[in-house]
Amino acid sequence: SQSRYVDVVWNNDTSHLDDIVNNMPIIGSFGYATIGKRWDLLVEQVNKEFDEAIKRINIPFATYVTDNQAKVDEIKTLCMSKITKPGIQLQLTHEFMTREQLVEWCAQNTINCFFYYRDNVTVSGLAAVTDQAVASGRPLLVTTDKTFRHIHPYIPAFPNITIKEAIKKTKSGVNHMRETWSAQNCRKILENLL
């Protein structure tokens, strides 16, 4: 069976998503083509859990990522190799979006997922990639990698929860993060420190 790959150019016109949202889940992910991001394992998990789904990945080309095109090509090849069902579609874009556009893009997804495995690769700071995903209010799934340690108190992490379970169970945790990390709450914390 032939899997479908669509190399799309993202823009503000989301009318094409109306039918897609009604018929199948959209699993979104984004970030630069840097070490420790395992989009291929995410695509493999989508393929395992769903008969039909759209896996959207936005990987902007970055000025300071060496061999960027080669890395993106490798990611595309690895992701395509994980698709064995004809109903799984991969959409790969390369748009550098504003924060507002990225929040809007995340809001178009059924769930936003980030499968990072950096624990044995590099010293992990906090992954900022989840900021826009949280701001979108959509369900969220991250791995147990410590780069997501700021997310772990709010939602269970993969592999302790599946994508399907996360779609159903993580929205309240995302909303709790949005409330806890709101500008108003941060202002209160700073005022209390002073």
Side-chain angles (χ1 to χ4, degrees):
S1 59
Q2 182 78 20
S3 60
R4 295 180 288 162
Y5 168 76
V6 182
D7 200 5
V8 297
V9 175
W10 187 85
N11 61 41
N12 287 326
D13 177 17
T14 59
S15 60
H16 66 285
L17 293 173
D18 293 341
D19 291 331
I20 294 169
V21 171
N22 293 329
N23 295 323
M24 66 181 79
I26 301 172
I27 294 90
S29 192
F30 62 91
Y32 294 113
T34 54
I35 197 162
K37 297 175 184 174
R38 294 299 306 272
W39 285 295
D40 58 315
L41 297 181
L42 177 54
V43 170
E44 181 177 59
Q45 189 64 29
V46 169
N47 188 74
K48 199 179 292 183
E49 291 189 45
F50 299 94
D51 291 325
E52 290 187 323
I54 295 173
K55 177 64 193 104
R56 296 172 72 198
I57 303 173
N58 186 64
I59 306 172
F61 292 113
T63 304
Y64 299 105
V65 174
T66 55
D67 300 324
N68 201 304
Q69 183 65 56
K71 287 180 182 174
V72 170
D73 290 344
E74 180 183 353
I75 289 165
K76 176 182 169 183
T77 301
L78 280 170
C79 288
M80 290 304 298
S81 74
K82 302 296 183 177
I83 299 174
T84 61
K85 297 176 184 174
I88 303 299
Q89 185 179 136
L90 176 65
Q91 293 181 349
L92 185 61
T93 55
H94 310 289
E95 297 300 312
F96 187 86
M97 300 179 214
T98 65
R99 266 185 242 141
E100 294 78 14
Q101 288 172 324
L102 195 48
V103 170
E104 179 185 323
W105 187 88
C106 289
Q108 296 167 4
N109 299 323
T110 307
I111 187 169
N112 294 290
C113 300
F114 303 96
F115 278 30
Y116 286 19
Y117 296 93
R118 293 176 167 169
D119 285 342
N120 297 321
V121 179
T122 126
V123 175
S124 293
L126 296 180
V129 72
T130 53
D131 293 354
Q132 288 79 17
V134 169
S136 77
R138 302 300 292 159
L140 175 66
L141 182 60
V142 297
T143 60
T144 55
D145 191 282
K146 60 188 165 200
T147 197
F148 297 118
R149 60 192 174 277
H150 59 304
I151 304 292
H152 296 151
Y154 298 92
I155 61 172
F158 183 84
N160 303 322
I161 187 172
T162 66
I163 297 170
K164 284 184 177 181
E165 290 170 333
I167 290 169
K168 294 177 186 173
K169 297 179 180 180
T170 63
K171 190 157 173 74
S172 63
V174 169
N175 287 336
H176 189 212
M177 281 183 266
R178 292 175 74 190
E179 181 182 312
T180 303
W181 301 344
S182 70
Q184 183 180 7
N185 252 2
C186 289
R187 191 171 24 259
K188 284 180 190 176
I189 291 167
L190 287 173
E191 286 171 358
N192 288 338
L193 289 173
L194 299 174

